Structures are given as structure tokens and as C-alpha cells.
Amino acid sequence: MDLNPSEYTVAELKQKLAAADDPAKLDAVLAAEQAGKDRKTASEAIRRRIDELSDETAPAADDEEISYEVQTRTRDKKHVRALKGGEYRDMWVYCETQGGELLDVSTEMLGKARELMDEYNDEYESERVVGVLVGDADATTGLTDEVVARGADVAIYHEDDRLERFRHKPYTEIVADMARGGADPPNWETGNPGSDPTAEWRDYDKPRYFLFPATNNGRDLSAQVQAELDSGLASDCSGLFIEEELISNPVKTGEPGEKVEFERVLHMKRPDFSGFEYSTILCLDNPSREFHPQGCSVIPGSFEPIDPDYEREGEVVEHDLDLSDDWFRVDVTDFDRLDEGVDLTGHEVVVALGRGIGDDPTRGIELGLDLVDAFEDAALGLSRGVVTASYDVDGHVADYVAEERQIGETGQEVAPTLYVAAGISGAVQHKVGMDESDTIVAVNTDSDARIRDFSDYFVEGDLFEVLPRLTDSIEAGELTGKAEASDD
């Protein structure tokens, strides 16, 4: 292939590289790129194609179908340990705990995993939901039955008193070892290809899918575990489904213009930073490399947990791994437990207040609380504008003007049946936090407020007049005001 890389963009160059089949000629292309534009991404793409071709021509071991191989060596990433030709099964769920109980997001993920795998098993062969527990005795053996009751077919746990609190290194090593089934990971420095799984309760190399909670600890753990397992991660997802996907990207198909149908693909839906669009993330294999588990972290409150069935039978597996003392060389000798905080997720109704309360912040908070009290299951939230405004409010409502009640991109994300937004303009950062609500009612004096565009009902009026009337209507059980429709 006679190819001048300087004549192409990186994207165009990648398409050309997909048709290349001579590593020696690609060495010349790499030299030309480095002598010319010297684009990092272009050089990496050329090296990657050289390695792929080298892998394809390398002699295979006589009696070993599965191997770990060093595929990429670049300046910023020395190695990729890719399992090729592996066996993948089951959907795994990391079940985070606190105070000896499952977090709500753990039960939500178990319920969603059960739903997904029931549908999967109708379409394909039978596979399981595997719940993962790591911690001391309160967080593991005491909760295995709960994990099964919430939808898991298998509960695998690792118990150690030193794991009472989350620790990055041991938690990552334990969960990654669970996922590998006790197999030794490959070592690129020594050339050790690793070993086969030894776990007796399963007969595959790694999970097909892996769900983690998008909590502080869950986000940390998911990234580290997926990196250890040489796969990717879709973070902060709020929608999941499994189906086939027709792909034409030559990086994934191996041939320009060719379409390949990928089966059993976990579609991981997450909100964009704008809040107005959603992206669907796919974790797909390359022709010369497989990426498993297909993994994501799940936003709390995204799914409904299923009702627990304590008669449900499941397998309980104790995980065995010698924990290195070096993993515990840093210890927390003293800590304070923060207040429990305010959890706005899971309520039927959320009443949110914005800068519209600015004329009388104390009265505005009072009116919001009155409306909250009129419902059986409601909570008060705030926009970032209220949290950062430093309003001077009377003491009896001061505790409600707190950052922990903030809703939006940098606050909580809620999805109630009814969301009442009073005096909120509708900035995209706020929209991210409440866009999944079933019904959105906005109250604003500005008929052109952005929130009108994504509200189901828009009340043009002063919240100081509208909220008391809404409260009266809820308490009376009927609408006491008169609504007039507008074509604007």
C-alpha cells in the first residue's frame, strides 16, 4: 500500500488502514506520518493496524484456543490485555451496601437486571443474574438472601472485617478476580499469558454484562474494575435494553462498506450534558479483540425495584482470595459520619423552587413546604440559583435552603410522578436533573421561560399567588381555580 498519510484526515486515514494487509508497508506509512504532521491519534491508529495484522499472521498454539496477547504498545499505553475467543455469560450486578443494608440503587439494578435477563432468556439460551457483595459480615452473608429475593440467581460474596469501609485497591482486586473466575491475569512484562478460570460454579471466562451503581464509590469501582477486565464503561446511564445492532463502522466490521449484525448488545442510554438529548453507548468487539463485560454505571432512581420474593431459590457462593496486606497499607484511623442527608429520589411528588422566590425567600419556602405537606409523599427541591443566591431567610426555614436539596447536573436527579417547578427558568443544567419526571408542571411569570418548552402544563403567574391556590386544590381534592388554555 503506497499511502501518504498527510493527504488524509485521521478519520479518512483509519478507513484506508482497514484495507491494509502488509505490516511492512504500514511501517513506512508510520514513518511518513511521524516525519510529516506527526499526529498522535494517526500514529496510534497505524500502530494498532500493524499489531492487528501481526496478530492475524502469528502462529497459534497447538492446543490452546484462548490466549491473552499484548496488542498495543504506545507512548501513553504500554499494553492491552485482550482475551480473544473467550466465553461470556450472565449479567452481573455490583450491590453496594451501607449500614448493613442494600442501597436503593442496588435493588433497582437487580430488578432491572432480572427484567432484562428474563427477556434475554426468551430470545437466547438461559443465562443468570449474579449479585456481587463485598464487605464485612453485615454487608455480605447477611444480605445474600436479600440479593436473591430481589432477582439474582446467584449471590457471590467476599467477607473480610477489613472491608467494612470501601477501599479502592482491595475492592477492585476482589471484584475483578470474581469476574475472571479466579484466573490469573496476563502480565505483558513477563510474557505470562495468564491462566484459565478455576471457579467451579461457572464455566465461562468473564461476565457478558456488568452493572454498577453511579454513586461516589460505585463510579470509582466501575472504572477500575472495567479497566482491569480490559473493557469499556458507559457512565451514569438511565436506560438499558438488549437487542441486535447493525454496524458498518470498518473498525468494528474489519472491512469498509461491510455491515455486520452484532447480537446481544447491551444498549446503555445516558443523558448528554446539554440535558436535551440522550446518547446510546454500545460496547462492541473489534475483529481482533473482544470487549467484555459490556459495563455501565446506573443513575440511582432510574428503575423500579421488583417486589422481593423471599421464597425464591438461588445459589450462594463464597469467594476465596488471599488479600495482600499491601492492599491495606493505608488505613483510616478516625472519621466522622455525615448526616444522612436528603434523598429526593423515590418520592411521588417533588416541588422545586427557583429564583422566583427572590422577592420574599422565606415566604417562598413556606409556600413550597405547604404544597409538599398537601401530598402524601412529596419532597422539596431547589434549583442551583437558590442554593448559590445566599438568600436571607428566617431561621425556621433556613435548614431547607441547603445544597443537598439541589436538583440538576451538579445535584440530584429525580424522576417523580409529578414535578412542580415554581419560579424556575429551565436552564439545561436543571433539566438534566428532572427531565425523566412523568408529568412536569411549571409556574412562571415569564411566558417565554425555557422550562415551558419541556413542561406538560405551564401556568403563567406569580408563584406567591399560584402555589397557595394549588395547595388549596390538593387539600380540597378538586381544582378550585379556573384554567384557561392558550395557543401561544
Side-chain angles (χ1 to χ4, degrees):
M1 169 181 281
D2 295 325
L3 181 66
N4 182 357
S6 298
E7 296 178 356
Y8 302 96
T9 65
V10 174
E12 292 170 340
L13 180 61
K14 287 180 179 179
Q15 291 187 344
K16 294 289 185 182
L17 292 173
D21 57 6
D22 188 338
K25 290 185 177 181
L26 285 178
D27 285 336
V29 174
L30 177 60
E33 172 63 33
Q34 293 173 332
K37 293 184 178 181
D38 196 20
R39 296 164 294 185
K40 179 181 178 181
T41 52
S43 296
E44 290 176 353
I46 299 169
R47 289 192 187 95
R48 187 158 50 246
R49 184 56 180 156
I50 292 172
D51 289 336
E52 289 174 355
L53 293 172
S54 299
D55 290 339
E56 292 172 3
T57 58
D62 293 337
D63 55 356
E64 184 166 313
E65 296 181 359
I66 299 174
S67 64
Y68 291 88
E69 300 178 11
V70 176
Q71 287 197 335
T72 306
R73 294 174 185 262
T74 65
R75 286 172 294 180
D76 61 334
K77 188 172 184 180
K78 295 182 178 179
H79 70 289
V80 174
R81 304 186 305 254
L83 177 63
K84 299 170 63 177
E87 283 290 326
Y88 313 106
R89 296 179 65 83
D90 297 344
M91 176 172 284
W92 286 40
V93 179
Y94 175 74
C95 300
E96 186 173 349
T97 66
Q98 188 175 63
E101 296 182 356
L102 293 174
L103 293 185
D104 288 345
V105 65
S106 298
T107 63
E108 293 162 7
M109 291 190 301
L110 285 168
K112 185 61 177 179
R114 181 73 273 151
E115 173 192 327
L116 289 170
M117 294 313 288
D118 284 346
E119 295 173 353
Y120 178 98
N121 293 336
D122 288 340
E123 181 74 16
Y124 306 104
E125 69 272 19
S126 179
E127 296 190 16
R128 300 167 295 183
V129 174
V130 179
V132 175
L133 290 163
V134 179
D136 61 3
D138 289 338
T140 54
T141 53
L143 292 175
T144 53
D145 290 343
E146 183 74 16
V147 167
V148 172
R150 294 285 183 173
D153 300 296
V154 180
I156 180 171
Y157 70 95
H158 190 104
E159 178 185 317
D160 190 299
D161 290 342
R162 294 172 294 178
L163 301 172
E164 178 184 4
R165 302 179 67 246
F166 177 77
R167 294 167 175 258
H168 297 274
K169 180 64 174 176
Y171 270 64
T172 299
E173 295 288 350
I174 290 168
V175 176
D177 187 74
M178 286 178 172
R180 287 192 296 257
D184 293 328
N187 188 316
W188 72 274
E189 292 177 321
T190 64
N192 185 346
S195 65
D196 293 331
T198 59
E200 296 181 356
W201 65 274
R202 47 177 271 195
D203 58 358
Y204 54 87
D205 296 288
K206 289 192 290 187
R208 188 184 300 279
Y209 314 111
F210 211 142
L211 309 185
F212 298 84
T215 59
N216 289 337
N217 292 340
R219 287 188 176 103
D220 287 350
L221 183 66
S222 60
Q224 293 182 91
V225 168
Q226 287 295 99
E228 283 294 318
L229 299 178
D230 291 306
S231 192
L233 177 75
S235 60
D236 293 2
C237 295
S238 60
L240 301 171
F241 60 95
I242 299 171
E243 65 179 31
E244 293 73 25
E245 189 69 29
L246 194 63
I247 300 295
S248 59
N249 186 336
V251 174
K252 298 299 179 183
T253 65
E255 293 291 339
E258 180 181 347
K259 292 186 178 180
V260 174
E261 185 173 69
F262 287 75
E263 291 187 341
R264 315 179 196 204
V265 179
L266 181 62
H267 291 62
M268 300 167 281
K269 181 180 175 183
R270 72 178 307 278
D272 288 336
F273 293 113
S274 67
F276 287 95
E277 300 290 343
Y278 284 80
S279 296
T280 299
I281 312 300
L282 309 178
C283 185
L284 303 174
D285 298 331
N286 283 353
S288 60
R289 170 154 182 219
E290 298 177 2
F291 293 88
H292 285 81
Q294 299 175 40
C296 69
S297 60
V298 175
I299 296 172
S302 297
F303 307 117
E304 291 291 330
I306 62 175
D307 293 331
D309 177 7
Y310 294 104
E311 300 298 320
R312 197 168 181 278
E313 295 184 358
E315 184 177 0
V316 176
V317 177
E318 182 176 8
H319 176 254
D320 183 26
L321 177 68
D322 291 332
L323 308 187
S324 170
D325 291 337
D326 189 54
W327 298 348
F328 297 91
R329 65 182 183 273
V330 176
D331 196 10
V332 177
T333 59
D334 189 24
F335 63 91
D336 291 327
R337 186 177 297 277
L338 298 176
D339 292 338
E340 185 175 343
V342 177
D343 184 5
L344 301 179
T345 63
H347 292 282
E348 288 291 320
V349 180
V350 173
V351 177
L353 303 176
R355 284 183 176 272
I357 67 171
D359 290 342
D360 190 346
T362 298
R363 178 62 178 157
I365 297 292
E366 290 174 337
L367 294 178
L369 291 172
D370 288 343
L371 183 55
V372 166
D373 290 340
F375 292 100
E376 291 185 3
D377 180 21
L380 183 75
L382 304 172
S383 73
R384 179 173 175 80
V386 174
V387 173
T388 59
S390 299
Y391 288 131
D392 184 13
V393 296
D394 292 346
H396 67 288
V397 299
D399 290 342
Y400 290 93
V401 187
E403 186 176 359
E404 61 187 359
R405 292 186 180 272
Q406 181 179 320
I407 295 171
E409 186 175 22
T410 54
Q412 297 191 48
E413 297 188 18
V414 298
T417 302
L418 173 63
Y419 187 85
V420 180
I424 294 175
S425 63
V428 294
Q429 292 85 352
H430 185 78
K431 183 177 186 291
V432 170
M434 45 71 77
D435 196 36
E436 293 293 312
S437 304
D438 290 344
T439 300
I440 300 172
V441 177
V443 179
N444 206 295
T445 56
D446 182 5
S447 60
D448 295 325
R450 182 176 293 181
I451 199 168
R452 182 171 186 168
D453 297 336
F454 52 91
S455 297
D456 298 287
Y457 300 94
F458 183 83
V459 181
E460 184 178 345
D462 190 333
L463 68 87
F464 290 96
E465 298 176 3
V466 175
L467 290 189
R469 298 177 69 179
L470 287 177
T471 301
D472 291 343
S473 296
I474 299 301
E475 292 176 342
E478 60 181 3
L479 185 63
T480 58
K482 181 180 179 181
E484 297 183 359
S486 173
D487 295 331
D488 295 336

